[in-house]
Amino acid sequence: MKLQIVVKGKEMLFKKNKVKFKYEIKKVIKKGNVYIVLLRKPIGIHDNENVFGVNEHGETIWQIEKTVHIYKDSPYMDLYEAKKHVWVGNWDGDAYRIDVKTGKILERKFTK
């Protein structure tokens, strides 16, 4: 599905609005009415909740739920769809299935 937005560095540009994030946007997936945004966290910054949900009006509606990680610096590195679900993978080697409406973690699997 073609995204109805433009991504430039840290910004998502909508027809009438823009969202500016703290870090560069690495990847965006649209699922239903929500854009799931993965940010490219800079090295040396401990900020593991680098996944956000943005609605079609350009409003940030959630940030991924906090969870316990093995490493202090364990950001999400991948964002993908599998079997109609959205997943994020982190530095620890875990994959998390997320609720695209709330950012809550629904399932966790070790992948390494």
Side-chain angles (χ1 to χ4, degrees):
M1 173 182 296
K2 187 174 185 214
L3 300 180
Q4 301 295 317
I5 57 163
V6 174
V7 174
K8 284 185 170 183
K10 298 178 181 181
E11 295 181 335
M12 287 177 70
L13 307 172
F14 293 79
K15 286 182 182 178
K16 297 182 180 181
N17 200 6
K18 75 176 176 181
V19 180
K20 186 168 184 177
F21 292 99
K22 194 164 37 171
Y23 311 122
E24 179 184 1
I25 297 168
K26 182 176 181 179
K27 188 173 183 179
V28 178
I29 292 177
K30 185 174 186 197
K31 191 75 171 170
N33 296 328
V34 179
Y35 294 92
I36 299 92
V37 181
L38 173 66
L39 303 182
R40 187 183 315 274
K41 185 199 67 73
I43 295 171
I45 304 281
H46 300 294
D47 191 354
N48 294 331
E49 289 74 44
N50 59 321
V51 180
F52 294 82
V54 178
N55 68 20
E56 291 181 313
H57 304 290
E59 301 164 332
T60 302
I61 55 174
W62 55 258
Q63 183 174 4
I64 196 164
E65 173 181 19
K66 286 189 177 205
T67 187
V68 176
H69 298 283
I70 295 171
Y71 304 106
K72 182 177 179 180
D73 187 16
S74 188
Y76 295 99
M77 307 295 291
D78 195 15
L79 169 66
Y80 58 96
E81 284 187 80
K83 297 183 181 176
K84 300 184 180 184
H85 298 288
V86 174
W87 292 80
V88 290
N90 73 358
W91 191 252
D92 293 342
D94 290 321
Y96 297 86
R97 182 169 59 94
I98 60 172
D99 183 325
V100 297
K101 294 179 183 175
T102 66
K104 299 282 184 201
I105 294 170
L106 302 174
E107 182 180 355
R108 178 180 180 176
K109 293 193 305 189
F110 185 69
T111 60
K112 284 187 180 176

